[in-house]
Amino acid sequence: MAEEPAKRGIITDKISNVVSFLRSCTKECSESIEGIATGEIPRWLQGSLLRNGGGLIEIGPDKYNHAFDSLALLHKFRIQDGRVTYSNRFLHSETYKRNMKANRIVVTEFGTRGHPDPCKTLFQRFMSVFTMEEFSDNDVVNIFQLGDQFYACSETNFIHRVDPETLETTGRIDLSKYLAVNSATAHPHTDMDGTQYNMGNGFKLSGPTYNVLKIPPASDEGDNPFHKGSIMCSIPARYRFYPSYYHSFGITDNYIVFVEQPLLLSIWKMLWFHVRGKAYVDALEWHPELKSYFHVINRYTGQPVPINYSALPFMMFHHINAYEESGHLVVDMCCYNDANIMKALCVSELEKIKDDPQRFVDMVRSEARRYVLPLNVPQDKTESENLVKLPGCKATAFVQQDQSVLCLHEALTESGRGSSEMPRINYAKYNGRKYRFFYALGIEESDLTTYIVLFEWRIQCFIWQI
């Protein structure tokens, strides 16, 4: 018992630093600096690792209110001859330029209200909805490769081309100029031949749609591959004026898997908040009375599989992987029971962790789950018969009275290490195919400091075999 006060003191000290990652990087490191290595880096390991993320959280007197909002900072780790060098640069988006010029936050982000332009009337701000130019282009989430070209992206219609050697911002692409979309996910998939697939929102007179995008690889350095992009398929939103929020999707050799979850975006609130200059996070509405739905699209015909798959309500950001096996579609994801994670990453909530760490852990609790979708559903199946026939699989699926299929998940993570997020696999070899391992960030339920480790960017990884 004598050790308990000391242990509590250590935990408290770590928790008090939980928001330390929410500090501004005020100076770029454009010239490479060499890191100090502990141990030995294999000589055969050669290459560059590019990363993207929030870098500048305070601008003049203003501070961003959400972990998703701070201005994008590009990172490069160069690994060569047993040495690692590091450099970074801010993404020079229009949002970055406008904020720096004003020395305050003037562009509204997901969880942060920008200061309205005093030179624009309410009507002018309303009309800016139709041009999209006033929306943020702060591409803070990811970097993807298309042929020999590299792009920073988030969840808007704007992406930025960056130089992988210098990290300079070399151009901006507005996807809506080439495709009928006003957003796209930050997690596109790339096929073996370099073709890219993505999902993006569109709008028709009948309501919002979820569009499957197909972009060919760039043929040369100066080529613009988006000129040749196409929309493979448009999926009507189930709820008019309330499209589902989504951050990623799954892909297999023959199918694209899209999850329509009950975290809905109120278009009316979104437009009104844009006109009024309010943050967009409050335009999201969690509806636990609704189900989650799986849309399965044939990659080669663009046609949906004519089976209505559903599941009990869940919220998710990231797919782990998906693959086909013996007439089944296996879909692995990191799932939440509700949408509290959206509010948990507000700075105001992060600052409460010291007083109530367990509340924060409960809000961000996720679980790696496996859903199995049977691709063939005979008409004579009864409601009590499990349609999943994969040996050793605990996921189930049952025909409902309306001939839809209700899918019940199998938990892939054990109790005590149930939380998992930011999943990775051996993408080049196993994306869309049966696999054995995934890597993720996790929480040790017996020690609340594990999630603190994540926020200090000393990443603890768990490896699960499945």
Side-chain angles (χ1 to χ4, degrees), residues 427-438:
Y427 188 93
K429 189 172 183 179
Y430 290 105
N431 184 51
R433 297 174 176 83
K434 189 173 182 178
Y435 69 119
R436 292 180 58 197
F437 301 96
F438 74 92

Side-chain angles (χ1 to χ4, degrees), residues 67-84:
F68 293 170
D69 291 350
S70 53
L71 292 179
L73 183 66
L74 308 175
H75 309 262
K76 178 182 178 181
F77 299 87
R78 177 64 180 169
I79 308 170
Q80 188 172 13
D81 299 328
R83 302 164 55 210
V84 180

Side-chain angles (χ1 to χ4, degrees), residues 355-410:
D355 298 324
D356 192 356
Q358 185 61 55
R359 177 176 179 271
F360 176 77
V361 171
D362 291 339
M363 291 178 73
V364 300
R365 190 186 307 276
S366 61
E367 179 182 58
R369 295 180 180 178
R370 169 165 291 174
Y371 290 87
V372 178
L373 285 55
L375 292 170
N376 301 296
V377 182
Q379 294 292 323
D380 59 349
K381 293 296 181 182
T382 63
E383 294 181 40
S384 61
E385 182 177 352
N386 179 16
L387 301 176
V388 178
K389 307 300 181 182
L390 296 180
C393 182
K394 297 179 182 179
T396 58
F398 300 93
V399 173
Q400 305 298 287
Q401 286 186 348
D402 60 0
Q403 293 303 300
S404 65
V405 176
L406 178 66
C407 302
L408 303 177
H409 72 272
E410 172 187 358

